[in-house]
């Protein structure tokens, strides 16, 4: 079956005119029409019918279209895979990451990689720090940089670094002068927290339970930037990752970040990828780059 005709059918079914398809593929209008007619002959039934000046799908065409879309997507993925095998520096890597890693870790990893592989393109997707979020998005993501180490045999997870957690308080708070703090000393403070479905929120609850109290949640934020803003406004204290040099919050911050004495007050940051499908060469190159960078302790702090 002629793949060009399949692509023409896909375009026309999506509302593109035959004239526009011909201009897009450098084929005459009559050539496109003949290709569509041959396709209908191979399928054995009309796929398109004319409604005024527009071609629309018949019921058979609508049923056929779903399979054409899947076939062409798989074909394009296969062509991309072959292209990357010939030249890994020409591929595209899809990376998902939590928002809290967007200002310091992910830009550094992508930037240093592209310095050596400028032809590789990236599709970057922010994902929420949720207990229920699907890992690797059903195959649409190559690699995920995450603080969630899932016990899933279909997912490989490799630790990159350990990030300390701190008690964030306003600069004028009575505890702000402390060099470190036992979390139990903040038991009577109102807390600003993330959503109950957040992984960090669950970890905060576990830390407070270890310290012998249940935190009184005064305000809930949707992301860490909002949580820090609420703390700076004096609405409570919070347990958050320590700021990084590349973070805007690390400079002229209105907060004090107090080290916690509990050794469990850390979160692991790692990289996840599927064990059920091999990474394409460009994604594998980036994975190796991230691993080497972590082992050489060249990750930002």
């Amino acid at each position: 079956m002629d793949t060009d005709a399949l692509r023409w059918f896909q375009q026309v079914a999506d509302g593109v005119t035959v004239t526009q398809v011909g201009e897009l593929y450098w084929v005459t209008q009559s050539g496109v029409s003949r290709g569509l007619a041959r396709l209908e002959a191979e399928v054995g039934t009309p796929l398109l019918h004319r409604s005024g000046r527009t071609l629309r799908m018949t019921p058979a065409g609508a049923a056929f279209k779903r399979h054409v879309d899947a076939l062409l997507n798989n074909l394009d993925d296969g062509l991309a895979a072959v292209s990357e095998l010939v030249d890994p520096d020409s591929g595209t890597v899809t990376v998902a990451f939590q928002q809290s890693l967007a200002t310091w870790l992910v830009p550094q990893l992508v930037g240093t990689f592209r310095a050596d592989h400028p032809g590789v393109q990236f599709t970057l997707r922010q994902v929420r720090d949720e207990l229920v979020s699907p890992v690797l998005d059903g195959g649409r993501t190559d690699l995920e940089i995450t603080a969630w180490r899932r016990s899933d045999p279909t997912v490989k997870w490799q630790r990159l670094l350990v990030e300390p957690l701190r008690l964030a308080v306003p600069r004028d708070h009575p505890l702000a002068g402390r060099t470190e703090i036992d979390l139990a000393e903040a038991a009577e403070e109102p807390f600003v927290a993330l959503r109950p479905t957040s992984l960090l929120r669950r970890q905060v609850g576990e830390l407070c339970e270890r310290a012998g109290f249940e935190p009184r949640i005064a305000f809930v934020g949707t992301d860490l930037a909002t949580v820090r803003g609420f703390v700076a406004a004096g609405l409570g204290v919070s347990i958050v990752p320590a700021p990084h040099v590349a973070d805007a919050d690390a400079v002229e911050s209105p907060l004090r970040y107090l080290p916690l004495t509990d050794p469990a007050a850390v979160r692991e940051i790692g990289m996840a990828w599927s064990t059920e499908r091999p990474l394409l060469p460009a994604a594998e190159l980036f994975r190796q780059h991230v691993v080497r960078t972590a082992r050489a302790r060249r990750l930002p702090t």
Side-chain angles (χ1 to χ4, degrees):
M1 194 168 281
D2 185 352
T3 56
D4 283 341
L6 289 172
R7 294 188 189 278
W8 300 343
F9 166 73
Q10 184 185 52
Q11 293 280 339
V12 171
D14 286 336
V16 181
T17 68
V18 171
T19 301
Q20 290 170 328
V21 170
E23 292 173 349
L24 182 65
Y25 288 92
W26 294 85
V27 181
T28 64
Q29 182 175 340
S30 59
V32 173
S33 297
R34 288 194 298 270
L36 293 174
R38 287 195 302 271
L39 179 62
E40 290 182 325
E42 289 186 79
V43 175
T45 189
L47 302 174
L48 300 161
H49 69 91
R50 185 165 295 281
S51 176
R53 302 181 64 182
T54 304
L55 287 175
R56 300 189 184 280
M57 287 185 289
T58 64
F64 188 54
K65 172 71 160 49
R66 295 192 297 271
H67 299 283
V68 170
D69 288 343
L71 184 150
L72 292 177
N73 284 338
N74 287 333
L75 175 62
D76 290 339
D77 286 347
L79 293 172
V82 172
S83 176
E84 286 193 31
L85 287 173
V86 175
D87 182 10
D89 281 337
S90 66
T92 298
V93 185
T94 302
V95 181
F97 54 92
Q98 293 173 3
Q99 186 178 27
S100 60
L101 310 177
T103 58
W104 61 281
L105 180 58
V106 175
Q108 194 262 8
L109 290 172
V110 172
T112 54
F113 177 79
R114 291 204 68 204
D116 295 327
H117 305 278
V120 174
Q121 303 299 311
F122 279 83
T123 299
L124 301 175
R125 301 176 52 246
Q126 288 192 16
V127 295
R128 299 179 77 172
D129 168 31
E130 297 286 341
L131 295 168
V132 295
S133 62
V135 67
L136 301 177
D137 196 23
R140 291 186 289 272
T141 297
D142 297 313
L143 299 158
E144 183 175 336
I145 300 175
T146 176
W148 192 354
R149 183 172 186 167
R150 296 166 172 87
S151 56
D152 184 342
T154 68
V155 175
K156 173 71 173 178
W157 190 91
Q158 182 159 350
R159 187 175 75 177
L160 302 177
L161 60 100
V162 175
E163 187 180 31
L165 298 177
R166 299 284 191 254
L167 182 71
V169 301
R171 281 194 171 272
D172 58 356
H173 193 279
L175 297 173
R178 300 285 295 275
T179 57
E180 66 176 15
I181 188 169
D182 187 316
L183 187 54
E185 297 179 68
E188 300 303 318
E189 298 286 339
F191 273 74
V192 180
L194 290 170
R195 303 166 306 280
T197 54
S198 161
L199 176 64
L200 183 58
R201 170 71 175 270
R202 183 178 72 175
Q203 190 173 1
V204 168
E206 292 171 352
L207 288 170
C208 292
E209 184 178 0
R210 285 166 59 98
F213 72 96
E214 182 177 346
R216 176 167 57 89
I217 306 301
F219 293 92
V220 174
T222 57
D223 52 49
L224 284 173
T226 302
V227 168
R228 291 185 177 112
F230 283 176
V231 174
L235 302 181
V237 302
S238 188
I239 298 174
V240 298
H244 297 268
V245 173
D247 252 324
D249 288 311
V251 181
E252 299 296 329
S253 173
L255 304 178
R256 286 275 293 141
Y257 295 92
L258 309 180
L260 295 164
T261 57
D262 188 337
V266 296
R267 69 171 184 171
E268 292 184 321
I269 306 298
M271 178 172 57
W273 63 94
S274 174
T275 61
E276 296 186 317
R277 59 185 181 90
L279 292 171
L280 291 177
E284 176 60 20
L285 277 177
F286 181 65
R287 187 195 69 80
Q288 293 175 8
H289 168 76
V290 173
V291 171
R292 285 196 305 271
T293 302
R295 287 177 176 169
R297 300 183 183 277
R298 296 198 303 268
L299 294 174
T301 56

